[in-house]
Amino acid sequence: MKVLNLQCAHGHGFEGWFASNEAFETQLAGGLVSCPICSDTAITKLLTAPRLNLGSAKPPAETPAVPVAENNSPEARWMRAVREVMAKTEDVGERFADEARKMHYGEAEERGIRGQATREEAQTLLEEGIAVFSLPLPPALKETLQ
Ligand SMILES: [Zn+2]
């Protein structure tokens, strides 16, 4: 639900509630939006940020992650660490070497990335002073996360 601040040609300000901006545009084009005070249909949208109406129909809360039974085996700790790295990095796939180099030379925004690089690419990056580290990922994990 979008609450829009609207104004008619006579300067009457009022709020209009619409399912979406598109719904507003459609209704406006069809002459269905009118001023509640003077019934003018020459309505303009004021440039204020629409706010979300969360009063009546709350969107369903995001499903909280179901905690997996705590498992502190080295494998489980490793998997958690890997998942954390994957959550915080952007997968650039085979562009990894390119992206790492761009960031190093300030041509791309600094961020955590992961991807595939050949041994030669990784070696070249290291020689250029670009820090890379390899993280062997079990194929099954890749599939569940992407
Ligand atoms: Zn009016």
Side-chain angles (χ1 to χ4, degrees):
M1 207 66 180
K2 282 262 164 65
V3 183
L4 302 178
N5 285 314
L6 306 173
Q7 196 176 49
C8 79
H10 300 103
H12 302 131
F14 62 99
E15 282 188 344
W17 293 42
F18 300 91
S20 64
N21 270 317
E22 288 80 347
F24 165 69
E25 301 290 347
T26 308
Q27 291 182 35
L28 182 66
L32 297 173
V33 185
S34 61
C35 172
I37 298 155
C38 68
S39 300
D40 194 339
T41 52
I43 303 300
T44 49
K45 187 167 69 172
L46 298 183
L47 290 177
T48 44
R51 59 191 150 89
L52 276 174
N53 165 37
L54 299 176
S56 50
K58 276 194 175 155
E62 271 188 32
T63 319
V66 180
V68 186
E70 203 60 18
N71 179 341
N72 275 317
S73 70
E75 292 80 14
R77 285 206 298 269
W78 166 242
M79 289 294 275
R80 278 201 291 273
V82 168
R83 280 174 190 279
E84 197 170 313
V85 167
M86 295 190 76
K88 286 178 181 166
T89 55
E90 180 188 335
D91 187 4
V92 296
E94 289 169 1
R95 293 183 293 114
F96 179 81
D98 281 348
E99 289 294 321
R101 192 170 280 121
K102 277 191 205 159
M103 285 195 295
H104 184 70
Y105 293 109
E107 293 164 23
E109 192 188 337
E110 288 270 349
R111 63 203 194 280
I113 58 172
R114 66 178 191 279
Q116 293 91 47
T118 63
R119 185 183 296 268
E120 290 74 29
E121 281 172 335
Q123 186 61 39
T124 314
L125 289 172
L126 286 170
E127 283 166 7
E128 292 180 42
I130 300 169
V132 295
F133 68 98
S134 65
L135 182 72
L137 289 180
L141 182 65
K142 281 188 183 176
E143 276 162 29
T144 57
L145 282 169
Q146 288 174 18

